[in-house]
Amino acid sequence: MQHALSLRFVLPAAAAAAALTCAAALPADAAAVPKSAAPKFAVPKSAAPKFAAPKPYGTSFQTDPHHDFTKHISPRHDGVLRGWVTYYRSGVAEYEPIRWVKDKTGHTEGRFEGPPEGDVTAYASRVAKNVVFYSATGCKGTTVTVKHGGLGSKRCSQSELISRMKHAHRPALITVYRGVIVKVQEIYTP
């Protein structure tokens, strides 16, 4: 009797874990659900570890050697990626690594660029409902708010982050923890 009782508590937890794993593995369009039915993911602030951040203006693409890009678009492994969001829908952001390219003409300092066309280096993760967002241009996008090597320092709301994800590719340090985006810190570009 004790064995049957313990299975009742283990099976629902296992089924829930399997459902979450399957949903995270789907492409963004397939994983998209109506806002009213979309699960809200929150990561406890004390639970997310601190990860080493890459150079904001690094000149090479960051790699994720354990990621299999041949199967489907899925979350990046835990850590900080210098990248930008290429698509956002229903709580899921698709993003890719970027690199800084110095301008050889002397007209500007340089620009960020993503992988070449046809490259499949892209990820998709849910955005935590308590995501931390630091803007490089203030919450209204009108004032430069940077510190420490061009990183955004003005904390803004999740709704402002989502608005920016929907409208433009903005260079940022994107922190992923357990498959969820928990922090976005914009990189200033003049």
Side-chain angles (χ1 to χ4, degrees):
M1 187 59 118
Q2 184 180 14
H3 179 67
L5 182 62
S6 65
L7 283 178
R8 230 181 329 176
F9 294 108
V10 174
L11 288 178
L20 284 175
T21 302
C22 290
L26 294 173
D29 287 342
V33 292
K35 287 185 179 185
S36 60
K40 298 290 184 179
F41 294 97
V43 177
K45 292 179 184 177
S46 60
K50 300 220 184 255
F51 298 107
K55 292 179 181 177
Y57 299 96
T59 56
S60 62
F61 293 114
Q62 288 174 262
T63 60
D64 189 354
H66 303 293
H67 194 85
D68 186 356
F69 293 102
T70 62
K71 297 201 179 213
H72 53 76
I73 191 164
S74 59
R76 186 178 195 282
H77 286 86
D78 290 356
V80 182
L81 175 73
R82 179 184 53 254
W84 55 32
V85 172
T86 57
Y87 182 76
Y88 176 86
R89 181 175 175 192
S90 300
V92 176
E94 292 183 19
Y95 51 103
E96 65 185 11
I98 58 173
R99 68 179 177 178
W100 181 254
V101 179
K102 294 180 181 178
D103 183 15
K104 295 178 181 172
T105 65
H107 294 104
T108 65
E109 291 181 35
R111 61 183 168 75
F112 282 103
E113 72 176 12
E117 190 166 331
D119 188 308
V120 295
T121 309
Y123 309 94
S125 296
R126 288 228 172 251
V127 178
K129 72 176 183 179
N130 59 344
V131 65
V132 177
F133 171 51
Y134 292 101
S135 171
T137 57
C139 296
K140 295 184 181 192
T142 58
T143 309
V144 176
T145 54
V146 296
K147 66 175 184 176
H148 304 300
L151 294 176
S153 62
K154 176 66 176 167
R155 185 150 181 192
C156 300
S157 68
Q158 178 200 29
S159 60
E160 180 60 30
L161 170 63
I162 290 170
S163 172
R164 292 182 189 196
M165 286 180 173
K166 289 179 177 180
H167 294 101
H169 293 7
R170 294 183 180 260
L173 296 183
I174 302 168
T175 304
V176 177
Y177 179 61
R178 296 183 177 171
V180 178
I181 296 174
V182 295
K183 180 179 176 184
V184 176
Q185 189 169 19
E186 284 184 338
I187 303 170
Y188 179 71
T189 52

